[in-house]
Amino acid sequence: MSLSPTVTSWPEPHSPEESDKLQTPEQDTQQASSGDMSSTHREDTRPGLGTLRRAFSRAGRRALGQVPGEDVGLLRRSSHFLRSLRRPRDDGPAAAPGGARGPEGPSGVTDGGSRPSTTGVGPEEPGQEEGKSVADLITERQLLAAFEQLRQLETRLLAQKASGTFEQDPTDLARRAMDVCLLYDGLAAEIRAIVRETLGPGGVDAATLAELARVVRAEEEAHPVPPADGDFLLTPRRWRRHWEDAVTRSAQERVRQAGAGDAAGAAEGASGLARLLAELGGSVRRDLRKVRLQVQPAYSAAGLPAWEAYLRAFHGAVAQRLQELARDARGCEQLYVLLDWTANVYGSPDFLGAPDLTLSTEPLPPLLAPSVWARLESDYTSFLETKITSCFDSILQLEQSRWVAAEAPDVLQGLYHTPLSIDIHMLVAEHVKAAGAISAELEATTLRICARALGLFLPRFEKAFLQSEAVSEAHLGASINACEELRTSLLARFPGTFEELEKPLVAAICVFQKRLLQGLQYDVQPLFRVLCTKAWLTHDVLQPLMDKVVAFAHHLEHVAPLRAQETLQEAHRYVVREYLAQVLSPRERFRGVDRVTGSQKMGLDAQAIGNTFQGLGSEATWLGQAIPCVADILGETYKDDIGRHLETLIGSYPDIRRDHVLAILALRRLGRRRNQRLLQRAQGLLRAAAKAEGSGAAGGRVLFEEIQVPTSVDLLITCI
C-alpha cells in the first residue's frame, strides 16, 4: 500500500554539495565554524565516536522496529537530525547528535532526559554481530558488514511496507526510511574520510581500501537502477561518484598544500617560482607513486579504477594551480619556468621517476588551455626580444672594454681570436635550445628574434670598432675571423633562418678587409713615387715595398683562409695597379737607351712582384702579364710587333680603355701614321673586349679601369 502524499515524497540522495544547501541557519553557522578544520586528523573531522555510535544505533533500532511509535513531530525532528548528520565530513565535522541545536533538535535519538523509552526491543537482524550496531561497524570501518546490515534493514522495511504494516502509521515508515538514509549517508561520509586520509601522513591500510572498493561495488549491485515506482529506499546511492568526488577534493587539497610556503617567493622572481613548482612536482610525484604502488593494488581486486581517478584528479588540480600561477607570472624568466615545467617536467615520460610508471594511461586534456599557453608564449617572446637585444648590448660593451684596454687578440689554432663569435653563438644556442625544449613553434620564433637582433647588432659593432683606437691588423683580422665564423657556423646550424644574415656578415667582412688594405696602402704609397725615375734605373727601390707586403701578409696567416686569400689577392692587385699607374704617368720621360733600360727594369720588377706574391700564396696569376706586356711595348725594337703586344694586353685585360692605350703609345713616341694604325687596331680589339666583358667572359677582373691617366702634351700629340 502506498503512503499518503505527505509522507511519500522523500528526498532524493544528496551529493555533498546538495546536502550543504539543505542546512538550517543554525547548522550553517556551525558548519562554517568547523570548516577550518577540514584538513585536520580524522578524530577532528567526525563527531565523537560514542556520540556517533549512539546516533546510528538508535537510527538502526528504529529502522528495525525496536523503538515504540512516536508522534508526527518526531518525523520533523528526525529529518532535521538527518540533514545535520548528512553534512560531508571533508567539508567540516558533522553536527554531533546531542550537541548544540535549535528548538527542534533531534530529541528522538539523543541521550538525556528527553530520550524516548527503548523498551520492547525486537530480535536482532540476521548477520548482525553480537553487540555491534551499524554505527559501531561504520566507526570501526567494517564497511562491508555495515552495508550488509543496512541492506537487511532496507529489505525488511520494504517487506513491512509491502505487507501493510504501516497502513495505520505511515509516518513511522517515513521516519524509518529516513533513518536508513541517515545510516547510508554516514557510511558515505566514512568513505570520503577514508579517501581523504589515504594520501595523508598516516595513510590507510590496504585492507580498508579493499573493503571500501568492495562496498562501493556492492552498493552498485544492490541498487543498479532507480525503482520504477520512485521508492526512495531502492534509489542508487551513487557511492562511486561520491568516491570520485572525494578523490578530486583530496587531490586539490594536496596540490594546494604543496608549495604553500613558497607562494610568496613565487611573486619575487623565477627562483621562487621554480622552488614552488619543484615542491609541487615532488608532492604530486610522491602521491601518484603511492597511488600506483599501494592504493591501486588494493582497489583493483574490486575493479575500482583508482589509478585513472587519481590521475584525472591530480591532473585537473595541477592544471588549476598552473592557471593561477600563469595569471601572476611576470618577466621572461618566470614565463619560461612555467612553460618549461609544463612541457619538460610534468610532461616528461619519467615524471614519476621510474621507467615502469608512466604519467598517463589515457588521453588527458592539456595542462594549460591552448589560449593560456598561446598567451604565455606570446608574453615570453615579447620579453625575450628585449632580453636578447640587451644581451647584444652587453656583448658590444665587453668588446669596447677590450679595445680601451688595448688588449691584443689571442691566437687560437693559428687564427686571431676574439670572444665575439663565441658570445653570440652561446647566446643564440642557449635561447634556441631552451625554446626548442618547449615547442617547435617557440624555437622558430626565437630563431627569428635572434636573427633580427644580430642583423641590427652588426652595423653597430662595425661602426663602434672602426671609430675606436684599437683598429690594427691583428684586431681587424680577429673581427674578420669572428664574422666569418658566424657566417659559416650559424648558416650551417640553423639553415633557412640565418640566410638573410649572410649579406650583412659578408658586407662587414668586406669593410674590415678594406680597412686592413688601407693600412698597407698608407705604408707603401710613398714608395711608388720613386718608380720610373733616374734613381729607379740604377737602384733597387722595389725591395722596401716588397718587405712591407711580406710583413702585411704575415698577419694574413692568422686570418680565415678564404678571407686571407681574398685580401692577399687584393693586395697583389693593388701593387700591380699602382705600379702601372706610375708607369703610365711617369715623372720623367725616357728615350733611347734609358727607355730600353726602363723596359728591362720593368721586367725585373714584374718578376720580383710575381715571385713575392706567389711565395705568399696569392692565386691571382692573371695579374702576371700586365707589367711585362707594357714593358715589351716600351722596349720593342721591331715596331711592327708593338701591335701584337697590344693585342695580348687588351685580350688579357678587357677593362683597358682607349686612354690607357694612348698613354702606353705616348711612352714610345711613334710616328703619326703608325700611331693611327695602332689606334685603329686597338679600337677593334677594345670593342671585342667590351662585348666579352658584357657577356661575363672577363670573370669580373678589374685592373686598368681603376687607373686614372692624366692628360699630358705627349698624350695629346699621340692622339693627333
Side-chain angles (χ1 to χ4, degrees):
M1 179 178 66
S2 62
L3 297 176
S4 62
T6 60
V7 295
T8 55
S9 57
W10 299 311
E12 290 294 324
H14 301 302
S15 66
E17 293 78 2
E18 295 168 337
S19 298
D20 291 341
K21 298 177 182 178
L22 298 175
Q23 305 303 320
T24 64
E26 294 84 351
Q27 292 166 331
D28 290 339
T29 303
Q30 182 179 1
Q31 184 178 6
S33 65
S34 61
D36 296 336
M37 299 185 295
S38 60
S39 61
T40 57
H41 195 263
R42 172 185 164 193
E43 283 73 14
D44 296 330
T45 60
R46 297 199 307 275
L49 181 61
T51 304
L52 193 60
R53 183 186 298 113
R54 287 192 297 273
F56 287 164
S57 177
R58 281 161 174 73
R61 289 198 298 271
R62 184 163 56 247
L64 283 168
Q66 298 170 351
V67 179
E70 301 171 9
D71 57 13
V72 178
L74 184 57
L75 172 61
R76 181 173 62 254
R77 292 192 295 272
S78 297
S79 176
H80 179 83
F81 172 67
L82 169 64
R83 289 195 300 271
S84 68
L85 278 187
R86 290 175 68 192
R87 181 178 303 131
R89 286 184 188 167
D90 45 359
D91 293 335
R101 58 186 180 272
E104 294 185 341
S107 59
V109 290
T110 59
D111 293 329
S114 62
R115 183 175 62 186
S117 172
T118 58
T119 59
V121 175
E124 280 195 87
E125 187 69 20
Q128 179 175 347
E129 295 186 29
E130 182 72 25
K132 289 188 178 180
S133 65
V134 175
D136 295 329
L137 296 174
I138 292 175
T139 54
E140 294 175 6
R141 292 190 169 173
Q142 299 184 39
L143 306 182
L144 198 57
F147 175 74
E148 290 173 355
Q149 289 197 24
L150 262 176
R151 182 73 179 117
Q152 293 172 3
L153 293 176
E154 186 178 46
T155 302
R156 169 170 293 192
L157 194 58
L158 287 170
Q160 291 175 340
K161 173 187 172 184
S163 66
T165 304
F166 301 102
E167 287 183 358
Q168 301 301 321
D169 190 4
T171 58
D172 189 25
L173 172 61
R175 185 171 57 252
R176 294 173 187 273
M178 295 181 73
D179 288 341
V180 171
C181 174
L182 170 66
L183 295 171
Y184 269 127
D185 284 354
L187 190 51
E190 193 65 28
I191 290 175
R192 293 193 294 271
I194 291 173
V195 172
R196 185 175 60 253
E197 296 171 14
T198 298
L199 299 179
V204 177
D205 59 273
T208 301
L209 296 177
E211 188 161 355
L212 186 155
R214 288 195 296 271
V215 79
V216 170
R217 293 296 302 273
E219 191 280 328
E220 290 178 337
E221 294 172 358
H223 307 125
V225 294
D229 58 357
D231 196 326
F232 174 70
L233 289 173
L234 295 177
T235 299
R237 305 294 165 176
R238 300 182 178 88
W239 282 352
R240 181 184 293 266
R241 189 187 67 185
H242 284 277
W243 172 75
E244 292 175 348
D245 292 344
V247 168
T248 299
R249 285 193 294 273
S250 174
Q252 290 173 346
E253 291 176 2
R254 301 287 297 176
V255 168
R256 182 63 57 184
Q257 293 170 2
D262 289 322
E268 298 176 358
S271 59
L273 179 60
R275 288 194 302 271
L276 187 151
L277 291 174
E279 184 173 344
L280 173 62
S283 175
V284 172
R285 183 181 300 109
R286 288 189 297 271
D287 287 344
L288 287 178
R289 282 176 60 86
K290 183 175 182 180
V291 169
R292 192 62 182 269
L293 300 177
Q294 301 177 24
V295 179
Q296 166 69 7
Y299 280 115
S300 61
L304 210 58
W307 172 245
E308 291 76 6
Y310 274 99
L311 180 60
R312 287 193 300 268
F314 272 100
H315 186 78
V318 172
Q320 182 180 357
R321 186 74 176 109
L322 286 183
Q323 296 271 8
E324 298 170 358
L325 294 174
R327 287 194 295 268
D328 300 329
R330 297 292 182 272
C332 182
E333 289 77 10
Q334 280 196 344
L335 290 167
Y336 181 79
V337 167
L338 268 178
L339 292 170
D340 178 66
W341 192 88
T342 302
N344 300 321
V345 179
Y346 185 84
S348 172
D350 58 349
F351 174 70
L352 296 181
D356 57 334
L357 297 179
T358 57
L359 185 60
S360 178
T361 58
E362 64 180 21
L364 293 172
L367 196 60
L368 289 174
S371 60
V372 177
W373 181 270
R375 180 182 64 81
L376 288 177
E377 281 195 342
S378 176
D379 293 346
Y380 172 72
T381 53
S382 298
F383 282 109
L384 181 64
E385 192 163 6
T386 302
K387 180 180 179 181
I388 290 178
T389 300
S390 177
C391 290
F392 275 110
D393 292 340
S394 300
I395 291 175
L396 182 58
Q397 292 173 2
L398 286 174
E399 290 295 316
Q400 289 174 327
S401 66
R402 297 187 186 99
W403 302 337
V404 172
E407 298 177 2
D410 299 327
V411 178
L412 296 180
Q413 297 181 348
L415 300 178
Y416 288 130
H417 172 75
T418 175
L420 174 68
S421 61
I422 294 180
D423 293 342
I424 294 177
H425 271 101
M426 291 180 62
L427 172 65
V428 173
E430 175 185 355
H431 287 93
V432 170
K433 180 180 179 181
I438 294 176
S439 69
E441 294 79 7
L442 189 59
E443 179 183 16
T445 302
T446 303
L447 274 171
R448 289 193 295 269
I449 291 174
C450 291
R452 184 164 56 250
L454 180 55
L456 296 174
F457 168 79
L458 288 174
R460 294 173 53 214
F461 170 77
E462 175 187 317
K463 181 179 179 181
F465 175 61
L466 296 180
Q467 290 178 349
S468 69
E469 298 180 356
V471 177
S472 65
E473 289 85 353
H475 281 101
L476 285 166
S479 297
I480 293 172
N481 292 339
C483 292
E484 178 66 12
E485 185 177 354
L486 288 173
R487 187 189 71 84
T488 56
S489 59
L490 286 179
L491 291 178
R493 186 171 181 180
F494 307 109
T497 305
F498 283 88
E499 286 181 355
E500 60 184 19
L501 289 178
E502 184 169 14
K503 289 184 178 180
L505 283 169
V506 171
I509 291 172
C510 291
V511 169
F512 296 143
Q513 287 176 316
K514 183 177 180 180
R515 186 61 179 269
L516 191 61
L517 287 167
Q518 287 175 352
L520 173 66
Q521 294 168 7
Y522 180 81
D523 289 341
V524 302
Q525 188 63 41
L527 301 179
F528 283 107
R529 297 173 184 171
V530 299
L531 296 177
C532 298
T533 61
K534 292 291 186 180
W536 168 67
L537 293 175
T538 57
H539 295 83
D540 187 5
V541 298
L542 186 66
Q543 187 58 44
L545 189 150
M546 290 293 99
D547 291 340
K548 289 186 177 295
V549 169
V550 172
F552 171 80
H554 173 72
H555 293 288
L556 297 181
E557 296 175 359
H558 304 297
V559 177
L562 175 62
R563 303 306 172 183
Q565 180 61 221
E566 291 175 351
T567 308
L568 183 61
Q569 290 186 28
E570 189 63 23
H572 191 175
R573 190 176 71 90
Y574 167 75
V575 170
V576 173
R577 185 188 68 210
E578 289 301 311
Y579 190 99
L580 289 173
Q582 294 297 323
V583 170
L584 298 181
S585 303
R587 296 178 180 275
E588 300 181 21
R589 296 283 176 172
F590 299 133
R591 299 187 182 189
V593 177
D594 289 342
R595 177 173 54 79
V596 175
T597 303
S599 173
Q600 295 172 351
K601 183 67 172 177
M602 288 176 61
L604 294 175
D605 288 347
Q607 186 177 1
I609 293 172
N611 291 339
T612 300
F613 278 101
Q614 185 178 1
L616 295 174
S618 174
E619 298 175 359
T621 55
W622 62 278
L623 293 168
Q625 297 185 37
I627 297 176
C629 281
V630 176
D632 291 342
I633 294 173
L634 186 61
E636 181 59 59
T637 57
Y638 186 64
K639 295 180 180 181
D640 290 338
D641 287 343
I642 293 177
R644 179 170 53 83
H645 297 314
L646 276 175
E647 183 177 352
T648 302
L649 182 63
I650 295 173
S652 300
Y653 304 96
D655 64 321
I656 195 170
R657 296 295 176 261
R658 183 173 182 274
D659 292 344
H660 301 120
V661 176
L662 289 173
I664 295 172
L665 294 178
L667 298 176
R668 283 302 306 263
R669 295 181 180 272
L670 299 172
R672 179 177 62 85
R673 292 181 179 178
R674 191 176 294 277
N675 283 338
Q676 288 294 332
R677 287 196 302 269
L678 291 174
L679 281 175
Q680 289 176 358
R681 184 177 181 182
Q683 289 283 18
L685 295 173
L686 289 172
R687 284 191 295 269
K691 291 181 181 180
E693 185 178 9
S695 63
R701 296 173 178 177
V702 177
L703 180 62
F704 283 90
E705 183 178 336
E706 297 177 353
I707 299 176
Q708 300 295 327
V709 180
T711 303
S712 65
V713 175
D714 291 333
L715 189 58
L716 290 174
I717 294 174
T718 303
C719 293
I720 295 173

